[in-house]
Amino acid sequence: MLKHIKLLCCISLGIAMAGCYKDKGNYDYIDINEVSITSDSSAVVVLQQDTLRINVQLKQSMPDAAGLTYEWVFYAANGTPQERRQLGTGKNLTAMISEKPGNYNLDYFVTDKKTGVSFQKRFSISVESAFGEGWMVLEENGGTTDIGLVTRGKKIFKNIYSTSNKGQKLPAGARDISIIQYRGQEIYILSPADMVQVDYVDFTKIKRFDQFFYDAPAPKPEGNYLLGGSDKVMYNNGLVYTASTVLPPPYTFGLPLIGAGEGPYYMEPYPIYSVSEGKFFYDRISQRFFRAGPYDIELSPCPQFDPAADAYNMNNIGKKLLYAEHNVTDMHNLLFKNNNNDSLFIYVLDAGIPNPAVAKYDVTGLPGLLGADHYRMSKTLTYLYYSNGNKVYKLDILAQTSTLLYTFPAGTQVADMKMYFNWKDFDDADNDRLIGIATNEAGHGKLYYFPLAVTGNFEGNTYRTVFDGFGKINGIAYKSGN
């Protein structure tokens, strides 16, 4: 019996081996074209809104006349790649990157047309912000306004806002850039009938005017500031709205400050404040100052005039306020014009002491000052820089003298002047010692850098750098690093 079992096992094993040998002989193997993909690097860094360029080298084991197809697919590295974008269909890649800063995957597919077999290589792409630091430029072309940026590396990016917001342009007449440095960087663009906040990294739109209020008034934004380190202040159509940053965000404006019981007010949109004494406001209607503490909801009169201690009566100025800006410590310099439009005065207000009215100067008759159109206060010396048409002057407030610093070509109009300060680097040698001046001349805009000498004059009596090729410039501001 055992012999029979052994015999059956041997026969079965022989049949199985014969079947395998026969099956092996039935397969017919076909060689395919294998493609190997190499490149200089699989990890690439690119700036946002810059061009990503990748060149590859391909080797084929069996090239065919049918050729190859190519596809480059881009998507976020974190999470499920729900949003995938085809960047190109050529062998090498040249593509504009508009995605937000972050880490991305880029899959490169090469497909053999004859066999349909695909080969893949993955690239790791790091998109960095191109807009971390530089001069922002509000540029108008064809009736629409957008944002340009001149980087520290002197590269110019154009149409940043529309590129980051699916082609949408800024509100009509956008004229001013307001930057608040508070727990990060906040950027606001003001126009006659709107104000938008944009992301400081990629300039995507965050809010429009009505979203800053519990109950939004008719929009006429005139100024947006952080005062005293804790209060956000919005000037809109002469009214003053405040929001305390002591409370958790979002910081939303409520009702305007209540007047001091003497009728309606219209406050000029200039920030005058100190941490110790609060905020000061100048009323266009009554031509006098009012004040408010950090948590006040009502305006109050200023201290009663004391001839022995005060240089002027803050409750009875009787002049038009043309400009006001912080100088040093809590000092503010204010330029007034009398109601006959023929005399000019500088009033000095120290917002950090109980009797703020510390000095006044008659600056009537100084060249170009009566018809000046832009002003900028020094942050280190008692100098006020101002422009009139194509000329830029320095007003020495204490000496009550004026010096012509620079004359642009005939027909040039100064569009804006801003002092440079880099909040990311307090040791930057140009901090408070360089003025950016934007001009419109011969139908196009320019941006100039003027470094300041220790005398307050322009170094070498000229500019350091100029950037051309802009449309009509409406405003500029320096954006510090993130």
Side-chain angles (χ1 to χ4, degrees):
M1 182 66 179
L2 183 59
K3 290 182 178 180
H4 289 294
I5 292 173
K6 290 181 176 179
L7 179 61
L8 288 172
C9 288
C10 290
I11 293 171
S12 298
L13 180 60
I15 293 172
M17 292 178 65
C20 289
Y21 179 80
K22 183 178 180 181
D23 184 58
K24 180 179 179 181
N26 286 339
Y27 284 95
D28 185 13
Y29 289 97
I30 300 174
D31 291 329
I32 64 170
N33 179 30
E34 295 191 9
V35 181
S36 65
I37 307 169
T38 59
S39 63
D40 293 339
S41 176
S42 296
V44 182
V45 177
V46 63
L47 293 177
Q48 184 188 21
Q49 291 196 20
D50 206 352
T51 301
L52 173 61
R53 292 182 173 87
I54 298 178
N55 294 324
V56 297
Q57 297 80 45
L58 304 179
K59 290 185 179 180
Q60 304 180 63
S61 62
M62 298 175 59
D64 188 86
L68 307 170
T69 62
Y70 315 95
E71 185 181 25
W72 301 82
V73 180
F74 192 69
Y75 56 94
N78 299 324
T80 304
Q82 297 179 348
E83 293 188 10
R84 303 166 68 91
R85 184 162 76 96
Q86 185 187 78
L87 295 187
T89 57
K91 175 189 172 186
N92 299 313
L93 178 66
T94 301
M96 178 65 70
I97 300 300
S98 58
E99 280 76 5
K100 291 185 177 183
N103 296 318
Y104 295 83
N105 290 328
L106 176 63
D107 290 338
Y108 177 51
F109 299 96
V110 180
T111 303
D112 187 291
K113 288 185 178 181
K114 180 179 180 181
T115 63
V117 177
S118 295
F119 302 85
Q120 178 186 355
K121 181 176 177 63
R122 175 166 293 176
F123 296 84
S124 296
I125 310 298
S126 176
V127 179
E128 296 185 351
S129 174
F131 320 131
E133 188 172 348
W135 284 92
M136 294 184 292
V137 179
L138 283 178
E139 178 187 11
E140 186 176 325
N141 283 298
T144 63
T145 307
D146 215 309
I147 302 175
L149 186 132
V150 181
T151 70
R152 286 177 66 90
K154 300 181 179 180
K155 184 169 184 176
I156 299 177
F157 289 92
K158 306 290 285 292
N159 301 318
I160 294 173
Y161 182 82
S162 59
T163 302
S164 297
N165 291 278
K166 299 180 180 179
Q168 181 183 13
K169 293 290 186 178
L170 286 167
R175 68 185 187 279
D176 186 50
I177 304 173
S178 173
I179 301 177
I180 292 178
Q181 296 284 157
Y182 180 73
R183 297 178 183 175
Q185 192 174 110
E186 301 173 7
I187 301 176
Y188 303 87
I189 313 297
L190 280 69
S191 61
D194 202 354
M195 183 180 80
V196 298
Q197 182 182 1
V198 299
D199 186 277
Y200 72 93
V201 175
D202 63 7
F203 285 78
T204 52
K205 182 178 178 180
I206 297 175
K207 287 183 180 180
R208 62 180 184 269
F209 178 85
D210 62 294
Q211 295 172 315
F212 293 95
F213 295 84
Y214 289 111
D215 185 13
K220 188 182 177 182
E222 296 165 310
N224 183 44
Y225 308 100
L226 180 70
L227 303 186
S230 61
D231 281 359
K232 287 193 171 183
V233 175
M234 166 82 78
Y235 294 83
N236 184 76
N237 198 25
L239 298 180
V240 180
Y241 299 80
T242 64
S244 176
T245 59
V246 175
L247 300 174
Y251 307 117
T252 306
F253 297 108
L255 296 173
L257 293 181
I258 301 170
E262 299 181 16
Y265 65 81
Y266 195 109
M267 298 305 179
E268 300 290 3
Y270 300 111
I272 307 170
Y273 64 96
S274 76
V275 175
S276 59
E277 297 296 319
K279 304 175 288 290
F280 294 84
F281 306 95
Y282 189 77
D283 179 21
R284 180 186 300 179
I285 298 174
S286 62
Q287 293 189 328
R288 57 171 293 182
F289 285 97
F290 291 93
R291 65 190 306 174
Y295 307 108
D296 290 348
I297 62 172
E298 184 175 358
L299 296 163
S300 302
C302 290
Q304 186 174 357
F305 179 57
D306 179 358
D310 299 329
Y312 52 90
N313 185 354
M314 296 184 68
N315 296 304
N316 184 22
I317 301 296
K319 297 177 177 64
K320 303 173 185 178
L321 179 60
L322 300 182
Y323 187 74
E325 189 179 357
H326 171 260
N327 180 211
V328 295
T329 59
D330 289 324
M331 294 290 188
H332 297 72
N333 289 295
L334 301 89
L335 177 64
F336 285 98
K337 180 170 63 173
N338 71 343
N339 291 319
N340 292 329
N341 298 320
D342 58 10
S343 300
L344 295 169
F345 306 87
I346 292 286
Y347 282 34
V348 183
L349 189 156
D350 186 343
I353 60 176
N355 293 89
V358 295
K360 68 176 181 179
Y361 304 92
D362 189 333
V363 291
T364 302
L366 295 184
L369 187 58
L370 188 60
D373 41 35
H374 294 90
Y375 311 89
R376 191 57 51 191
M377 191 68 214
S378 169
K379 301 302 181 183
T380 58
L381 301 167
T382 53
Y383 297 152
L384 177 68
Y385 297 92
Y386 63 96
S387 66
N388 187 322
N390 67 330
K391 293 180 171 59
V392 180
Y393 300 84
K394 179 194 74 176
L395 166 60
D396 184 330
I397 294 174
L398 299 181
Q400 300 166 61
T401 60
S402 183
T403 304
L404 176 62
L405 299 182
Y406 193 81
T407 302
F408 292 101
T412 299
Q413 182 69 42
V414 171
D416 199 4
M417 299 195 304
K418 293 289 174 63
M419 195 69 69
Y420 171 91
F421 192 88
N422 184 0
W423 286 92
K424 187 178 181 180
D425 182 6
F426 286 90
D427 295 324
D428 190 325
D430 282 335
N431 282 346
D432 294 328
R433 291 176 173 83
L434 182 142
I435 297 181
I437 300 182
T439 66
N440 292 311
E441 45 191 282
H444 58 98
K446 291 183 179 181
L447 174 63
Y448 294 83
Y449 297 171
F450 285 91
L452 301 177
V454 293
T455 61
N457 294 347
F458 294 161
E459 284 187 357
N461 300 316
T462 189
Y463 55 87
R464 176 192 296 170
T465 312
V466 60
F467 299 90
D468 201 347
F470 294 100
K472 179 179 178 289
I473 296 178
N474 293 338
I476 58 173
Y478 190 79
K479 180 184 184 297
S480 300
N482 301 326

